[in-house]
Amino acid sequence: MEKKFQHQIKENEVIITRTFEASQEQVWNAFTDSKILDEWWAPKPWKCNTKEQDFSVGGRWLYNMTGPNGEIHWSYMDYKEIDPQNYYSGEDGFCDENGNPNKDFPSSTWRNDFSFSDGVCTVTSSCKYDSAETLKSYLDMGFLEGYEMGLNNLEALLKK
C-alpha cells in the first residue's frame, strides 16, 4: 500500500503529498475553513487559534499556535490564487498578533493542490523558500514532522 505521507526536496522547495479517504469537498473545506483548521492544523499538544480569516484572493488567515506551556507563535497566510476545490496558493510567514510580518523569519510560498480518485483525495503541498539554506533551517526546526502530525490530526477528524 502507498504511504499516505510522502515528501521530496528540490533545492529551495519541499513537496508533500498526503492522501485521505474522504471527498475532495471535505478535504478542501478542512484546509480553507478556519473553524475546521483550528481543529487539526497544530501538532498536538499545540492548538491552532484563528484570529481572523478572509478566504479570498487578497485575503488573509491570521492565527496562532499555542503550546502546552502557554507559548504563542503567530502566523499568517496571504491568499494569492484560489481555484475552488482544485488549488490555492499564498504567502505564509510568522508575524505578531496584528499580522505584521516577523522579519527574523523568511516567508514561504505555498500551493495546495487537491485531486480526487477512487474515494481518495490527494493533497499536494508545495512550499518554496528563498533559498535551500532557509528550507534546511525550517526542516531542522521540525517542519515536516509537525506538518505530518497536523495532517494525521486531519485524518482522525475526517473519520469522525
Side-chain angles (χ1 to χ4, degrees), residues 2 5 11 48 62 68 75 87 89 97 101 112 138 149 158:
E2 180 182 338
F5 181 91
E11 293 188 38
C48 180
L62 177 60
S75 296
Y87 79 90
S89 67
E97 65 275 8
N112 289 318
Y138 276 80
M149 289 170 72
L158 289 168

Side-chain angles (χ1 to χ4, degrees), residues 7-72:
H7 76 277
Q8 63 184 58
I9 297 170
K10 298 180 177 181
E11 293 188 38
N12 66 330
E13 177 182 22
V14 59
I15 300 167
I16 300 158
T17 304
R18 179 63 156 84
T19 58
F20 299 94
E21 292 180 15
S23 73
Q24 189 163 336
E25 181 179 17
Q26 286 175 297
V27 179
W28 172 265
N29 290 340
F31 271 80
T32 61
D33 180 332
S34 63
K35 289 179 180 61
I36 304 171
L37 279 161
D38 282 352
E39 294 187 51
W40 70 268
W41 185 253
K44 291 178 182 171
W46 290 72
K47 175 87 175 92
C48 180
N49 304 288
T50 295
K51 182 175 181 181
E52 59 189 39
Q53 185 193 37
D54 173 6
F55 185 70
S56 65
V57 174
R60 171 175 272 196
W61 177 35
L62 177 60
Y63 65 97
N64 71 49
M65 289 197 196
T66 304
N69 299 314
E71 315 92 318
I72 298 176

